[in-house]
Amino acid sequence: MSGSVGGPLIQESYRLRRDAELRLGEDGSLTLRQTRFQLTLERPGMGRRALLLQLAADWVSDVEVGRLISGLEGESRVLAAQLLLRRLLAHSWLERRLQVDDRALLDLVPTGLGRGSLPESRPHPPGVRHRLSRFATLAHERGRLVATSPLSTLAVGCADVALGAVLVAAVPGVGPDTVARTLGVRPAAAGRVLDELATARILVTEAEFEAECDEAPLAYWSPEELRLHHRSRAGRHALPVGGTYRMRERFEPQPLRRPYDGARAIELPLPDLATIAKVEPAFSQVVAERRSVREHDDSAPLPVERLAEFLYRSQHTSAVGEAGGQEVGHRPYPGGGGVYELEIYPLVARCDGLDPGLYHYDAVGHRLEPVAGWGAAADRLLAYARAAGAMPRPPQTVLVVTARVQRLMWKYEGMSYAMILKDAGVLTQQMYLVATAMELAPCALGAGDSQAFAELSGLDPLVEPSVADFLLGSRRAAGPPGTGGRP
């Protein structure tokens, strides 16, 4: 693990990964724990116990391991301690630090756990230049700059600030000589640094970089989409994923009902669901006839009663209760943990019984709450929606779906935004089915003008961003249900 070739000693040190903890049992056992993973040593012995405690507190080198064990149990027990150290390394319980003499260069931080979780070593080929991967990301984590890639289960911590300069130089391409000059180290140390950066896929060869940009399957992925997919799915990393309630001790949970000024609310009529069920087509027919319809009947705009029925059947919230310390409810569609973070804001351009403007649908009280009158931002939002929906004329209503992200992120970790997008997809399908059953004209959009919505609504995009958009209007009487639509 160490070497000296034409210069100072290249040495490695180890410590317990920072997202793990060491627990002492009453029976004398030691347990390593990290979220859903744990490793228990029932009778570790004095030397290995001291080694684990030291690894949990600070960096420990191979030389220090020998001294520690020899002093406590004698030289005959050093091999057993080294085997434990290698076992912990192989199962990704330890971070590694590469250093020259007393100068730390970089930290190797495993993101997975278990045997086989570390990537295979990728020594740099002689004479081949390396570039910064298209998928590499730099972020501040626990007081250090860390480079990561969703293509690897090994991250790199910049223990020396000069390593950041190496990554910058690697944008056009570097070789061992450039790494040596930038870090101010001998070629042997520079080669080891290059090997570690290549193993972590922070740096890739010129040929690999071209494949990332121009060849399937990597060329299809944007770095942002691949990172989101990687972070929100368990398996290739050991980061917390799921209902960890990570904000429970820091913030109060938001209520299920979105608060607005109730004094100006417009009460909506309740639909008679029993009567509706007797006259509407069968569910199988509704599913078969579901289409995106891109023309609205401007001679007979959607009346407020029909909009009220649509909103009720799509989003009405009932059965308010509590789970895990926060309010939960029930809607016509499933939502992660019953949290129901999604809200609907109708931007009404033409609707009989309503003035043009932006409204919020109170899904608990079944009412519309005026948010803003018509203005320049509303014009932009409507124009974008018309273009995105490929509509010949402006839509009658744009239903902007937002997410109260703090409600979901209060409970869920690692997967919150991915869950928001899934919930938005489920809501979109619900709106399609309701609109088809009501013989209205529905059309979901792939994107919307989030900045225009933020300006119009006055909502902070970090608190309640818009995440989906849905066009709704009255359907022209003539023509089949799918006229102007797509499957």
Side-chain angles (χ1 to χ4, degrees):
M1 304 294 283
S2 302
S4 178
V5 181
L9 182 68
I10 302 169
Q11 189 179 61
E12 287 189 357
S13 297
Y14 321 98
R15 67 170 295 162
L16 184 66
R17 55 188 294 164
R18 299 190 187 192
D19 58 357
E21 60 178 337
L22 178 65
R23 295 185 179 182
L24 303 177
E26 295 180 357
D27 58 354
S29 64
L30 289 175
T31 299
L32 294 172
R33 181 167 296 176
Q34 192 275 348
T35 59
R36 60 189 184 277
F37 300 92
Q38 73 174 39
L39 174 66
T40 300
L41 302 176
E42 295 182 356
R43 297 179 180 87
M46 182 185 301
R48 287 185 291 175
R49 175 189 294 268
L51 174 60
L52 285 168
L53 291 172
Q54 188 66 23
L55 289 169
D58 203 355
W59 293 96
V60 183
S61 68
D62 283 307
V63 173
E64 291 167 335
V65 170
R67 290 173 180 167
L68 177 66
I69 303 302
S70 297
L72 291 173
E73 296 182 313
E75 291 185 3
S76 63
R77 302 301 299 167
V78 172
L79 179 59
Q82 290 177 336
L83 290 175
L84 173 62
L85 189 69
R86 297 302 177 265
R87 179 187 175 194
L88 295 175
L89 280 169
H91 286 78
S92 296
W93 282 104
L94 302 181
E95 298 180 6
R96 290 189 294 127
R97 168 166 282 183
L98 184 68
Q99 58 193 62
V100 176
D101 286 340
D102 294 329
R103 179 190 174 193
L105 297 178
L106 57 82
D107 300 336
L108 286 309
V109 184
T111 58
L113 259 175
R115 179 172 293 277
S117 59
L118 289 174
E120 293 185 6
S121 179
R122 286 161 41 97
H124 71 279
V128 175
R129 291 173 63 80
H130 283 69
R131 299 185 63 179
L132 187 68
S133 169
R134 187 168 72 92
F135 297 98
T137 302
L138 291 174
H140 179 271
E141 296 180 11
R142 299 173 183 260
R144 60 181 169 181
L145 188 66
V146 177
T148 60
S149 168
L151 300 174
S152 176
T153 55
L154 191 65
V156 177
C158 298
D160 191 303
V161 294
L163 188 65
V166 171
L167 299 181
V168 172
V171 173
V174 296
D177 53 341
T178 305
V179 175
R181 287 196 305 272
T182 306
L183 290 178
V185 297
R186 297 293 180 87
R192 280 291 304 278
V193 169
L194 194 54
D195 289 346
E196 300 292 0
L197 291 172
T199 297
R201 293 192 71 94
I202 304 303
L203 299 188
V204 295
T205 66
E206 292 273 7
E208 289 170 336
F209 183 81
E210 291 177 3
E212 288 182 349
C213 299
D214 301 324
E215 297 179 16
L218 289 180
Y220 283 88
W221 285 93
S222 72
E224 298 80 11
E225 289 170 317
L226 190 56
R227 282 196 297 271
L228 176 62
H229 170 72
H230 174 262
R231 180 62 182 91
S232 61
R233 307 288 294 179
R236 295 194 70 245
H237 64 78
L239 297 170
V241 176
T244 61
Y245 292 96
R246 64 190 181 100
M247 295 296 177
R248 177 183 283 165
E249 305 302 324
R250 300 179 60 189
F251 303 101
E252 289 295 319
Q254 292 185 337
L256 175 64
R257 191 174 191 174
R258 172 69 162 87
Y260 260 100
D261 182 8
R264 300 191 303 138
I266 301 170
E267 302 295 333
L268 297 174
L270 285 171
D272 184 348
L273 298 183
T275 301
I276 291 171
K278 295 177 182 179
V279 299
E280 278 193 342
F283 176 74
S284 58
Q285 181 180 346
V286 171
V287 172
E289 293 182 353
R290 194 274 316 153
R291 296 288 188 277
S292 293
V293 181
R294 292 180 169 81
E295 278 197 59
H296 294 170
D297 186 0
D298 290 334
S299 64
L302 188 69
V304 65
E305 294 81 9
R306 297 281 277 167
L307 177 60
E309 178 186 334
F310 172 86
L311 292 171
Y312 186 94
R313 296 173 64 179
S314 299
Q315 181 85 343
H316 178 61
T317 305
S318 60
V320 177
E322 184 176 296
Q326 70 177 158
E327 287 185 337
V328 295
H330 177 79
R331 285 178 179 173
Y333 60 91
V339 173
Y340 290 115
E341 75 286 357
L342 301 182
E343 302 286 332
I344 297 179
Y345 288 79
L347 176 67
V348 175
R350 295 192 65 190
C351 180
D352 281 350
L354 286 177
D355 293 331
L358 182 68
Y359 298 83
H360 169 256
Y361 176 58
D362 176 1
V364 176
H366 186 52
R367 59 187 188 176
L368 287 177
E369 297 160 318
V371 176
W374 203 270
D379 284 330
R380 285 165 38 214
L381 200 157
L382 191 70
Y384 189 98
R386 176 186 177 181
M391 297 190 68
R393 289 177 296 280
Q396 294 175 5
T397 303
V398 180
L399 302 175
V400 181
V401 179
T402 68
R404 296 166 63 200
V405 296
Q406 293 172 2
R407 266 191 63 77
L408 207 63
M409 293 177 180
W410 189 84
K411 174 181 179 180
Y412 291 102
E413 185 172 358
M415 57 187 288
S416 300
Y417 194 74
M419 183 180 290
I420 286 170
L421 299 182
K422 293 171 185 175
D423 288 346
V426 175
L427 172 57
T428 296
Q429 173 71 348
Q430 176 71 14
M431 293 195 292
Y432 260 119
L433 296 179
V434 171
T436 301
M438 293 179 62
E439 297 184 343
L440 300 177
C443 182
L445 302 181
D449 190 334
S450 59
Q451 181 59 33
F453 175 78
E455 291 180 17
L456 183 63
S457 65
L459 297 176
D460 185 341
L462 295 179
V463 175
E464 191 173 341
S466 59
V467 295
D469 303 84
F470 194 88
L471 308 183
L472 187 70
S474 55
R475 178 180 286 183
R476 298 171 66 180
T483 299
R486 57 173 167 79

